[in-house]
Amino acid sequence: MRAKGIIIAIDGPAGVGKSSIGEMLAFKLNYKFLSTGKMYRALAWKAGEIGLDLSNEAEIMNLANDIKWDFKSDENTLIKIIVDGIAMNSQITDEKVGKATSAIAKLPQVRKFMCAAQREIGADGGIVLEGRDIGSNVFPDAELKIYLDASPCERARRRVKQLAEQNLEADYEQIFSLILKRDKQDAERKYNPLKKSDNYHYMDSTKLNREEVVNEIFKLVVHIVPNVL
Ligand code: DC
């Protein structure tokens, strides 16, 4: 056992709810929570701010090394990503940053950099990390690995609902095709692609709500650490 508990890796495609489920689970366990996608997004956002060429790996790596990164967990266990003193929030969630993020997430040196940072953050355990390659690459020795899935139609439907709740316009067909495109990019990436494998607990959440998914994962945690609470 690690100093602060086990490592829970949640991987899966875009829009499946890994962040909200990971956060709820971490809260329930009093564990830390890290969204690794936010780290890639933060770097892409900063590269955009300075106007770097997103395919120039050397430039992007200089930036990654120059940034003063802070990973601070607040009282709700959520690890905040702070880039040169600026907390990363809504500025990294839009589609433009999402697209730039896919471009830099392909670069092998960027992946190595993020992987090293994530290992440092999570090494003591007592943490839930979500992403695409957590169980396969960052922490292949994680005590619990979940592959969270849902059909592309259901993921698009959830996204439309989420946007509508924020009074934002949402076109189902457009969102659906974007989801298919992201799935393809994640699966076909040369370095650390998203892939299902036998050492993951596969969970299809198409017909489950968040609480049901969190409870299912919680049961698996208790199986590994009976005295977790
Ligand atoms: O989960 P998200 O949408 O915030 O992820 C943003 C992008 O980062 C997406 O293109 C996938 C990529 N990503 C990755 O390659 N590896 C991770 N561990 C997390 C995210």
Side-chain angles (χ1 to χ4, degrees):
M1 178 70 84
R2 302 165 202 266
K4 294 182 178 160
I6 63 168
I7 291 180
I8 303 171
I10 306 180
D11 290 310
V16 75
K18 299 183 297 294
S19 266
S20 43
I21 283 161
E23 211 177 314
M24 284 163 71
L25 179 71
F27 185 70
K28 192 168 168 136
L29 295 168
N30 199 19
Y31 269 25
K32 287 198 265 179
F33 172 70
L34 178 66
S35 163
T36 62
K38 273 194 177 176
M39 295 170 67
Y40 288 91
R41 283 176 180 269
L43 180 60
W45 170 77
K46 186 81 187 184
E49 290 282 292
I50 326 175
L52 294 187
D53 168 2
L54 299 174
S55 63
N56 186 329
E57 188 163 23
E59 272 189 20
I60 301 287
M61 281 313 296
N62 281 341
L63 173 66
N65 286 310
D66 280 351
I67 285 174
K68 186 181 176 304
W69 297 91
D70 267 318
F71 304 104
K72 287 208 178 99
S73 56
D74 63 12
E75 68 282 3
N76 292 323
T77 78
L78 187 72
I79 296 177
K80 284 192 184 143
I81 291 150
I82 300 163
V83 164
D84 293 331
I86 303 171
M88 296 291 107
N89 289 310
S90 57
Q91 71 273 55
I92 58 169
T93 57
D94 68 36
E95 195 34 46
K96 197 169 142 235
V97 175
K99 211 167 156 209
T101 309
S102 297
I104 64 144
K106 277 193 236 161
L107 306 171
Q109 294 305 320
V110 168
R111 301 207 67 84
K112 251 193 196 165
F113 178 94
M114 293 299 175
C115 179
Q118 290 155 17
R119 283 186 183 147
E120 206 177 309
I121 297 168
D124 285 345
I127 187 167
V128 180
L129 301 100
E130 70 85 11
R132 306 292 192 286
D133 63 340
I134 308 304
S136 58
N137 176 51
V138 181
F139 285 111
D141 57 345
E143 286 77 11
L144 180 60
K145 299 180 191 179
I146 307 289
Y147 188 102
L148 191 61
D149 211 352
S151 71
C153 302
E154 175 61 16
R155 285 184 278 140
R157 197 192 62 76
R158 288 179 193 170
R159 181 76 181 135
V160 169
K161 188 166 166 256
Q162 193 185 42
L163 290 169
E165 279 164 7
Q166 298 164 20
N167 288 324
L168 294 170
E169 235 178 84
D171 176 59
Y172 176 88
E173 290 304 326
Q174 201 184 3
I175 289 176
F176 181 71
S177 69
L178 211 63
I179 281 181
L180 293 184
K181 199 169 152 209
R182 281 282 142 80
D183 285 359
K184 195 166 146 57
Q185 281 167 344
D186 280 333
E188 292 179 357
R189 186 172 52 226
K190 187 169 171 198
Y191 302 97
N192 320 132
L194 172 67
K195 58 173 188 279
K196 294 174 203 159
S197 70
D198 289 348
N199 57 11
Y200 277 92
H201 288 268
Y202 180 81
M203 248 182 214
D204 185 347
S205 74
T206 306
K207 297 199 172 94
L208 301 176
N209 64 34
R210 287 181 206 166
E211 286 73 20
E212 288 169 322
V213 177
V214 171
N215 286 335
E216 283 306 304
I217 305 178
F218 182 72
K219 281 188 212 155
L220 296 170
V221 175
V222 171
H223 197 70
I224 301 171
V225 208
N227 59 350
V228 69
L229 288 187

